[in-house]
Amino acid sequence: MTAATHSPLFPQVPAVPDSADAVLEGLDPEQREVATALRGPVCVLAGAGTGKTRAITHRIAYGVRSGILQPASVLAVTFTNRAAGEMRGRLRQLGAQGVQARTFHSAALRQLQYFWPKAVGGSLPRLVDRKVQLVADAAAGLGTRLDRGELRDVTGEIEWCKVTQTIPADYPYAAAKAGREAPRDPTEIAHLYAAYEDLKRDRAVIDFEDVLLLTVAVLQDRQDIAEQVRAQYQHFVVDEYQDVSPLQQRLLDLWLGDRDDLCVVGDASQTIYSFTGATPDHLLDFRARHPGATVVKLVRDYRSTPQVVRLANGLLAQAHGRAADHRLELVSQRPSGPEPGYTEYTDEPAEAEGAARRIRELIDAGVPAAEIAVLFRTNSQSETYEQALADAGVPYQLRGAERFFDRPEVRKAGLALRGAARFGGNDSRLDDVVDLPSQVRAVLSGEGGWTIQPPAGSGAVRERWESLTALVNLAQDLAAARPGATLADFVAELDERAAAQHAPTVQGVTLASLHAAKGLEWDAVFLVGVAEGMLPITYARTDEQIEEERRLLYVGVTRARERLHVSWSLSRSPGGRHNRRPSRFLDGLRPGTTPTVGRSAGSVGGVERGIRGVDATAVPRRAQRTPARCRVCGRTLTDAGEMKLMRCEDCPSDMDEGLYERLREWRAVQAANSGQPDFCVFTDRTLMAIAENRPDSPAELSRIPGVLSRKLRSYGAEVLAICAGQELDGEIAAD
């Protein structure tokens, strides 16, 4: 559910609006500008909670209902099947059936399947659902051994290469330039990437990224196919444009050709997926690429209270970099609510217990569990909160992550620990260790490859290490609570904890990483672990990486509608050293801290009109229509006859009856001379429109519907002469 549909500030429109104008009801001024700006290019800069989906779906529906857009000619693309499905549902409710709303990959796959026999011959190669096994086979062919974590990380690097259009030989340089933490030696990854591509060709299969790459190749190489696609789709809408990769942008450019009927929607301050190849540059450069673009800024926040919005604005006010230069200053449209809460805890278990206690109180006060979320930076943090919620009798559900005890590395570790507890006397690794934490470390080091020092970078290897570290920490906590606890006691504790997490998941509190929370919202949000080393994460070192961490916290803050609680702990475990401090991002924002000198206010809402004219863009613009409105009452006109008159049939007319009769007499002569029916010269409606408007220049005459360029050349001089009250001489009449 988006903010726009949830907010009571938007009146519910009928299931199917009864007219084009009814589609516009309930939109705020900026959203209405988006909906009525049907001439491309259009760039919508939409802050969190400002109703961007509502604006663009009403734009499409208004264009369709007013007769400006043909449903089958519109292609709306977004990034998830959920978002595409929501868009299709809204368009149906607005009476705009037949519009294609798809993900980039879905749209490309549909085109590729249709054109492959014509472009290449035969049927499209089989699409593999998961490329991990292919990467494993490619590594085996090179004699390279990859564990599960490395396999996932290398697969991620291959995906990044493909969406950034990086070939194997260029990977080492491209990875270094992008500041990526390669999971293996970059040259080795380049060889694995090349072997993977060779193996795919040998097996005649393609992967997810190939769908885009092959579609791009077909459209580039076959002009006839490209023209066929462009003839089908003439108007494009792209949601979440800040997440577009270079490959997706290339495909979009090919879909467009030399046209600019494009509407993009995005927010550079919500760019949090750069590790996948997403970049806000296309959004930020849109005005430079399209000087004639209309830019609409949505800043009215219908999701969050003024208190939540104030914190969100404060976070971005301290930001740096290009995305920060284009930030939007949100303005809450909701009633006042409670101030965000800030709590410091002594250790992580206390933080989790504190959050669980507050959540229990909210549920007891009537807040539905499904309207509460606990958001954290990494998936490894979930186990502590799973246990705390289970202990408090609070149902929960995990989003975007496996349950802690269902993770492969945790299951494997559990088996190894169970075997060591049963046959530990015969395990040489346990000969010299006697205390429980040392035993657990020894088993996990041998079976799971756990190390005291964390691996460099992020990704699957880091997450795997954090999962195993959580088990080591749990052993330390058990030993501190129960001196003399054995390895068998620890295994029993793990079994009990695994059983305790079987709670209902449908109506439960949501546990999610900040990345997985993007696009969602809840009444109450608990942002936990907001401490240095976690936000920003330790491996965020460059200025760009730090700023993306700030944007990640901004996304977390803007998920809250009414209640927001921010917390951190001073140490990892009870009795530990208090060597942590709150995140630097909270400096000057939480009570008791010195305000930081911030940047000037961000952009406010409104509309910026682009430069129009021949010199505004190097790309030729084709003629486009805008919605026709009655010049008397302002209603949108959809009837062809009314559109020619530029007024409703029943609105008062100011037509010059004498001029109309002279035009009819002139038309009869022209029709007789050419041997055509009268209407082939001009229809009655066109003559009525001329008589009502009384144009005095070719430019004014050309704006009257029905006066096409050919007719303007043939009859323009005579019509203008008649309108000016001149008598046509024989020479003019004979022409």
Side-chain angles (χ1 to χ4, degrees):
M1 180 176 291
T2 67
T5 55
H6 177 84
S7 173
L9 296 175
F10 285 117
Q12 292 295 312
V13 298
V16 178
D18 58 9
S19 67
D21 286 339
V23 173
L24 303 178
E25 293 177 2
L27 301 181
D28 67 32
E30 291 77 32
Q31 292 171 340
R32 184 180 285 257
E33 285 285 352
V34 174
T36 56
L38 297 179
R39 292 188 60 189
V42 175
C43 179
V44 183
L45 301 177
T50 56
K52 67 178 179 65
T53 304
R54 179 182 178 86
I56 58 175
T57 52
H58 281 66
R59 179 182 190 269
I60 295 170
Y62 179 65
V64 169
R65 297 294 299 274
S66 63
I68 304 303
L69 304 178
Q70 295 302 312
S73 71
V74 180
L75 178 59
V77 289
T78 186
F79 284 81
T80 67
N81 289 321
R82 178 184 63 81
E86 180 185 359
M87 192 177 293
R88 287 193 296 270
R90 291 200 191 194
L91 290 170
R92 282 194 300 270
Q93 292 175 356
L94 294 170
Q97 296 91 339
V99 173
Q100 291 293 315
R102 297 178 174 273
T103 64
F104 269 101
H105 284 85
S106 173
L109 180 60
R110 195 162 180 253
Q111 293 174 16
L112 198 60
Q113 289 171 330
Y114 182 81
F115 289 111
W116 187 267
K118 178 179 180 180
V120 181
S123 58
L124 184 69
R126 181 174 63 87
L127 177 63
V128 294
D129 294 331
R130 298 176 68 250
K131 60 175 67 67
V132 172
Q133 186 57 53
L134 276 173
V135 176
D137 293 346
L142 294 176
T144 302
R145 183 181 179 83
L146 300 175
D147 64 27
R148 187 185 66 86
E150 290 177 317
L151 192 58
R152 191 172 118 186
D153 286 347
V154 169
T155 301
E157 290 302 290
I158 291 175
E159 291 173 349
W160 176 80
C161 287
K162 301 185 80 164
V163 299
T164 57
Q165 303 177 79
T166 301
I167 63 174
D170 291 345
Y171 171 76
Y173 170 77
K177 183 179 179 182
R180 296 184 70 82
E181 292 278 358
R184 304 275 292 218
D185 178 83
T187 302
E188 187 177 13
I189 292 179
H191 291 319
L192 285 168
Y193 178 17
Y196 167 78
E197 291 296 313
D198 290 340
L199 188 60
K200 282 200 294 96
R201 280 191 291 271
D202 292 343
R203 296 184 181 180
V205 297
I206 59 175
D207 62 26
F208 203 52
E209 290 71 37
D210 287 332
V211 171
L212 300 185
L213 285 164
L214 290 171
T215 305
V216 165
V218 169
L219 296 178
Q220 284 181 160
D221 296 344
R222 292 291 299 268
Q223 185 66 24
D224 58 330
I225 292 177
E227 291 302 326
Q228 192 172 341
V229 172
R230 292 167 192 159
Q232 170 67 48
Y233 297 115
Q234 300 169 14
H235 191 91
F236 297 85
V237 177
V238 184
D239 194 12
E240 302 288 2
Y241 195 56
Q242 78 278 353
D243 292 333
V244 166
S245 70
L247 179 57
Q248 289 166 330
Q249 181 62 48
R250 179 63 186 136
L251 178 58
L252 180 61
D253 289 340
L254 287 166
W255 281 340
L256 280 165
D258 62 359
R259 303 165 301 172
D260 59 6
D261 272 338
L262 172 65
C263 174
V264 301
V265 189
D267 180 9
S269 296
Q270 297 188 67
T271 305
I272 59 173
Y273 299 112
S274 66
F275 59 90
T276 67
T279 171
D281 289 345
H282 305 298
L283 176 66
L284 299 178
D285 292 338
F286 192 83
R287 193 66 176 273
R289 295 183 64 189
H290 302 280
T294 296
V295 178
V296 184
K297 297 176 182 179
L298 304 183
V299 298
R300 301 174 196 253
D301 188 325
Y302 297 95
R303 174 187 299 158
S304 304
T305 63
Q307 289 76 12
V308 173
V309 167
R310 189 181 305 121
L311 175 58
N313 286 336
L315 278 171
L316 293 187
Q318 300 178 10
H320 302 280
R322 193 172 180 221
D325 292 338
H326 295 79
R327 81 186 197 282
L328 300 167
E329 189 86 7
L330 298 178
V331 181
S332 176
Q333 306 297 299
R334 297 200 60 183
S336 183
E339 289 289 340
Y342 301 88
T343 305
E344 182 173 274
Y345 293 92
T346 56
D347 51 67
E348 288 182 7
E351 185 179 3
E353 291 167 8
R357 184 172 57 254
R358 290 172 180 269
I359 290 170
R360 180 76 268 173
E361 292 170 355
L362 288 176
I363 294 175
D364 292 343
V367 178
E371 292 295 349
I372 304 173
V374 178
L375 307 182
F376 34 75
R377 176 61 179 84
T378 67
N379 289 330
S380 64
Q381 295 170 269
S382 70
E383 193 273 337
T384 304
Y385 292 89
E386 292 175 48
Q387 187 59 51
L389 291 173
D391 291 344
V394 174
Y396 64 88
Q397 56 181 328
L398 282 170
R399 182 178 182 89
E402 300 165 293
R403 289 179 177 273
F404 180 81
F405 288 103
D406 290 341
R407 296 171 189 165
E409 63 269 19
V410 175
R411 292 201 305 268
K412 182 179 178 181
L415 292 174
L417 290 167
R418 186 171 286 105
R422 190 173 301 170
F423 308 109
N426 298 321
D427 193 333
S428 59
R429 292 172 299 184
L430 304 181
D431 288 346
D432 299 325
V433 292
V434 292
D435 64 296
L436 176 61
S438 298
Q439 290 176 331
V440 171
R441 283 194 293 267
V443 173
L444 297 184
S445 297
E447 292 292 332
W450 180 81
T451 59
I452 295 178
Q453 295 298 322
S458 58
V461 170
R462 177 77 183 213
E463 291 177 6
R464 178 176 175 275
W465 180 86
E466 288 171 338
S467 295
L468 297 180
T469 300
L471 294 177
V472 172
N473 294 337
L474 185 60
Q476 293 173 344
D477 295 341
L478 180 62
R482 293 165 51 187
T486 65
L487 199 55
D489 294 330
F490 181 65
V491 171
E493 176 72 11
L494 292 180
D495 290 341
E496 290 178 12
R497 286 174 174 260
Q501 71 184 20
H502 292 315
T505 59
V506 175
Q507 290 300 320
V509 170
T510 299
L511 294 176
S513 70
L514 290 166
H515 284 101
K518 176 74 167 64
L520 304 174
E521 60 187 77
W522 298 268
D523 284 345
V525 169
F526 289 75
L527 294 175
V528 299
V530 187
E532 286 293 303
M534 195 59 71
L535 264 173
I537 199 77
T538 52
Y539 49 79
R541 300 185 182 91
T542 67
D543 291 343
E544 292 81 4
Q545 291 169 338
I546 295 294
E547 287 306 314
E548 183 152 336
E549 293 289 302
R550 188 193 306 274
R551 294 194 295 270
L552 197 55
L553 180 57
Y554 171 79
V555 166
V557 167
T558 54
R559 300 310 95 194
R561 298 191 192 109
E562 299 175 7
R563 296 178 177 86
L564 177 65
H565 196 88
V566 184
S567 64
W568 59 91
S569 57
L570 298 176
S571 67
R572 185 198 59 77
S573 57
R577 292 180 56 191
H578 291 182
N579 56 0
R580 294 179 175 177
R581 75 173 188 87
S583 169
R584 71 190 77 172
F585 300 145
L586 299 178
D587 291 348
L589 300 175
R590 61 187 178 89
T593 58
T594 305
T596 303
V597 178
R599 304 160 58 87
S600 58
S603 297
V604 297
V607 184
E608 297 176 8
R609 306 294 179 187
I611 305 169
R612 298 293 180 183
V614 177
D615 297 330
T617 174
V619 180
R621 296 178 57 84
R622 65 181 180 84
Q624 301 182 57
R625 293 187 294 163
T626 55
R629 296 182 180 277
C630 175
R631 53 192 169 84
V632 179
C633 70
R635 183 179 70 85
T636 301
L637 303 174
T638 56
D639 178 75
E642 292 182 337
M643 290 172 69
K644 283 192 175 183
L645 292 175
M646 294 304 291
R647 65 172 173 81
C648 303
E649 187 72 45
D650 52 358
C651 280
S653 169
D654 55 356
M655 184 179 69
D656 184 330
E657 295 289 348
L659 175 57
Y660 177 62
E661 288 303 321
R662 290 197 299 275
L663 288 170
R664 283 174 55 87
E665 293 171 0
W666 165 84
R667 182 185 63 176
V669 173
Q670 294 295 328
N673 290 340
S674 62
Q676 304 178 83
D678 288 357
F679 67 82
C680 288
V681 179
F682 284 122
T683 65
D684 287 346
R685 296 275 187 170
T686 299
L687 293 184
M688 291 172 66
I690 294 172
E692 288 184 354
N693 286 276
R694 293 182 290 279
D696 59 9
S697 69
E700 289 187 9
L701 181 58
S702 68
R703 284 195 287 269
I704 294 176
V707 182
L708 303 177
S709 58
R710 178 180 57 81
K711 293 189 177 183
L712 183 64
R713 290 192 302 270
S714 300
Y715 307 124
E718 298 182 28
V719 170
L720 290 172
I722 295 171
C723 291
Q726 300 175 10
E727 292 292 334
L728 298 183
D729 57 30
E731 182 180 354
I732 295 178
D735 283 344

